Amino acid sequence: PTYELTATDDGAIANSAGALERTPFPGSPFSVHVVSGEPVAECSYLAGWSVSESKTRTGGKEGKSKSTEAKPQAPAPAPEPSANSSNNGGLGATSPVAGGSVSVRIHGVDKFNNTAVMQENAIVALVVSPNGTETPLSILGGAKTTPQQKDGNKAATGKTQFEFRYEAILSGSHELRAFLNGEHVKGSPIEFTVLPSAAIPQQSRLVALESDEPLVADLDTPATAHLVTGDKYGNPCVTGGLRVAGRLM
């Protein structure tokens, strides 16, 4: 059909059918810059696990990091742990060794799943050791920052990620807890296991079997003793590695 457009007294455009045609305001269209909201614990998450070996295991050189982080395309919450997952949390099959370190990052996300700026004083992270000791974790530098400004619009500036590092000494099961504004973030708490380091003679000991009878010089009845090995931190070793030779003096 054909329509005839006419101008009305109020400036609107009407066609012959009586329908009004919308006209843009002067300066339209224009852009709107939307910034993220406040980060919330239920959407913020832990990610970016990495494990570094100690220098004693790498010939005195800085150990290489073994990262388990996948580069995300968007700030998505960490996946929920399954009932069949191991107790090594985000580390997967990689276990830290005593003397090495574990690093992890906390990502700020608002309730609409936007990357959000976090305040450092709102974050608390700690590790519970096998003996029940709670070790607070210090924040490392190098976290990601948001742009200062965009198109002249003031946006929230600051860090959207914070990294923590734990120096592993005691072997056994550990638990890492991360809080934002007093609440656990997604993926917290998470358990991981620290393995003992290599056995050394200084932390190993020979233990004779308990017996009320004295030992008798008899080649047909050998005496038995146990060698209990330990690493440099005093952790009992669960694997071998020492070259052992016995001698009677």
Side-chain angles (χ1 to χ4, degrees), residues 50-105:
S50 63
V51 177
S52 297
E53 294 182 353
S54 65
K55 293 183 179 181
T56 57
R57 293 174 59 87
T58 55
K61 300 179 181 179
E62 187 65 32
K64 295 182 179 180
S65 295
K66 300 178 180 179
S67 177
T68 61
E69 178 187 18
K71 296 181 179 179
Q73 300 298 321
E80 296 290 347
S82 64
N84 297 325
S85 63
S86 67
N87 67 338
N88 235 25
L91 298 178
T94 304
S95 295
V97 177
S101 63
V102 175
S103 299
V104 65
R105 287 197 293 269

Side-chain angles (χ1 to χ4, degrees), residues 30-235:
F30 52 87
S31 62
V32 176
H33 180 62
V34 179
V35 299
S36 60
E38 293 294 325
V40 292
E42 58 265 30
C43 297
S44 301
Y45 61 96
L46 292 175
W49 287 91
S50 63
V51 177
S52 297
E53 294 182 353
S54 65
K55 293 183 179 181
T56 57
R57 293 174 59 87
T58 55
K61 300 179 181 179
E62 187 65 32
K64 295 182 179 180
S65 295
K66 300 178 180 179
S67 177
T68 61
E69 178 187 18
K71 296 181 179 179
Q73 300 298 321
E80 296 290 347
S82 64
N84 297 325
S85 63
S86 67
N87 67 338
N88 235 25
L91 298 178
T94 304
S95 295
V97 177
S101 63
V102 175
S103 299
V104 65
R105 287 197 293 269
I106 180 173
H107 298 249
V109 180
D110 68 10
K111 64 180 181 179
F112 301 107
N113 204 34
N114 299 308
T115 300
V117 172
M118 295 179 291
Q119 299 301 319
E120 184 172 333
N121 58 7
I123 302 171
V124 174
L126 57 89
V127 169
V128 182
S129 302
N131 59 8
T133 302
E134 295 184 357
T135 304
L137 302 184
S138 300
I139 295 175
L140 303 179
K144 185 177 180 181
T145 59
T146 59
Q148 297 296 315
Q149 287 188 350
K150 185 176 182 180
D151 300 330
N153 295 312
K154 292 183 179 180
T157 59
K159 298 178 180 180
T160 60
Q161 301 176 18
F162 287 96
E163 183 177 5
F164 303 92
R165 179 177 296 167
Y166 174 67
E167 302 294 337
I169 298 298
L170 294 178
S171 62
S173 179
H174 293 65
E175 185 178 83
L176 186 144
R177 303 171 183 174
F179 305 89
L180 177 61
N181 295 322
E183 299 181 8
H184 283 281
V185 299
K186 290 185 71 66
S188 172
I190 192 169
E191 290 187 357
F192 61 95
T193 299
V194 177
L195 301 178
S197 186
I200 62 172
Q202 294 83 349
Q203 292 287 354
S204 302
R205 66 187 189 277
L206 193 64
V207 180
L209 294 181
E210 294 183 0
S211 177
D212 296 333
E213 299 180 1
L215 294 179
V216 178
D218 186 354
L219 295 179
D220 295 329
T221 308
T224 303
H226 288 167
L227 177 63
V228 180
T229 57
D231 67 8
K232 64 180 296 185
Y233 306 102
N235 298 310

